[in-house]
Amino acid sequence: MAARAYWKGHLRLSLVSIKVELFSAVAHADEIRLNQIHKPSGKRIRYEKVVPGIGPVDTDEIVKGYKIGKDEYVVLEPEELDEIKLESRETIDLVQFVDHCEIDPRYFEKPYYVIPADEEVAAEGFAVIREALRDTQKVGLGQMASRGRDYVVAIKPCGEGLLLETLRYADEVRESDKIFEAVPDIKVDKEMKELAEELISRKAKPFKAENFQSGYTEALRDLIEEKRKSGAVSTSDGKKASKDDGKVVDLKEALKKSVSKGKSSKSASGKSSKRKTG
C-alpha cells in the first residue's frame, strides 16, 4: 500500500514556489499495544465518561474547559474552538536560514520527508533548493499550518529529498537551569578525565541506527507468542541479577581497569591474528 501524503502544498523561497508533498518519516508498525483486561472474564476493560454524583453522560453533553481554580473551568464550546482553528496554509515560506548546530536539539519534534509534486517544474525547483541548502550547509526555517494548528519547521537536505522537522515553540521547552542547580559543583580530577576520554575515543565510531534494537520489544513479542501457544510462561533459567555487595566503588580504579581491559583485548586479538597468519 502506497504511503499517504500528510500534507500537500507549496514550498516557497522568495519568488520561487514549487509544489511539494510531505510524508511521515516515522513508522509505528512494530509498536506493540497492550489493552487492560478483566482477568476473571478475559474481557477488555472499557471506560465510561462519568460525572461524580451524576453518573454516565452522553457524548453530546461533553464540552472542553480550561481549569482556572479548584472545580472552576472556563467552558469552551466546540463551535468556538472551530472558529479559531487555523486553516491549512498551502505554502511554507522559507524566511530564515541558520546552521543546523544553531538549533537546540530539544526543539526538534517530528520529522517528515519532503518530495516534489509529480511535475517537471516542481522537480527542477526542488533540486535547486535542495542543492543550494546542501552547498551552503544551511537549514531553512519557516511556518506551516496543518490540522488546526501551526508549526515552526526546519528544512534541510536528506539524500535525494528534503527532511522537514517540526519544532517546538520556545514556551514548550522547559528551562534547564533550575533543574541543573541540583548538580553539585565538583572539581574534576585530571587523570580520571583523561581515562574517561581514552575510553570514549576507543568506542567512537559512526552512528548506525540498525545496530540498536529494543530488547524489551523483542522480549515482549516472544512472551506474547509463548503465551499464545501454551498459555503459560516457561520458568526462568535460575540466573539471578548480581546484587550490590555494599562496597564503595573507586571510580578512578574502575576507569583504569576499563582502559586496561581494552588494551588486553586488543593485544590478545593481535596475537591471535599473528598466529593465524603464521
Side-chain angles (χ1 to χ4, degrees), residues 4-74:
R4 184 178 179 182
Y6 170 81
W7 183 91
K8 294 182 181 182
H10 291 79
L11 179 64
R12 184 163 60 198
L13 173 58
S14 189
L15 299 178
V16 179
S17 181
I18 57 175
K19 283 186 177 181
V20 295
E21 297 180 352
L22 266 62
F23 295 84
S24 176
V26 180
H28 298 286
D30 293 332
E31 184 179 355
I32 300 176
R33 300 191 179 189
L34 302 178
N35 297 308
Q36 289 189 324
I37 304 298
H38 179 234
K39 190 172 182 179
S41 67
K43 294 182 179 180
R44 181 177 173 182
I45 293 175
R46 305 286 181 176
Y47 291 92
E48 290 185 348
K49 296 182 184 295
V50 298
V51 176
I54 297 176
V57 296
D58 294 331
T59 303
D60 57 6
E61 295 178 325
I62 300 174
V63 295
K64 292 186 177 180
Y66 179 80
K67 188 173 183 178
I68 58 174
K70 185 178 180 181
D71 297 328
E72 288 187 296
Y73 300 86
V74 174

Side-chain angles (χ1 to χ4, degrees), residues 192-206 255 258-259 262 266:
M192 289 171 64
K193 184 170 74 73
E194 290 175 348
L195 288 166
E197 288 173 353
E198 184 173 347
L199 286 172
I200 291 171
S201 178
R202 288 184 189 177
K203 291 181 177 291
K205 57 184 177 181
L255 286 167
S258 297
V259 172
K266 189 174 181 181

Side-chain angles (χ1 to χ4, degrees), residues 108-158:
F108 290 108
E109 188 173 33
K110 192 173 181 181
Y112 294 89
Y113 295 131
V114 186
I115 64 171
D118 189 18
E119 58 179 58
E120 188 175 343
V121 175
E124 184 178 20
F126 183 90
V128 169
I129 292 176
R130 180 194 64 208
E131 294 310 306
L133 287 172
R134 180 169 282 139
D135 289 348
T136 57
Q137 297 184 352
K138 296 292 184 182
V139 175
L141 297 179
Q143 282 188 288
M144 67 173 281
S146 175
R147 301 183 183 182
R149 63 159 292 187
D150 56 350
Y151 302 86
V152 179
V153 300
I155 297 178
K156 62 181 179 181
C158 179

Side-chain angles (χ1 to χ4, degrees), residues 231-250:
V233 182
S234 60
T235 56
S236 65
D237 57 9
K239 292 182 179 178
K240 295 182 180 180
S242 59
K243 295 182 179 180
D244 186 359
D245 58 7
K247 294 181 181 179
V248 177
V249 177
D250 187 323

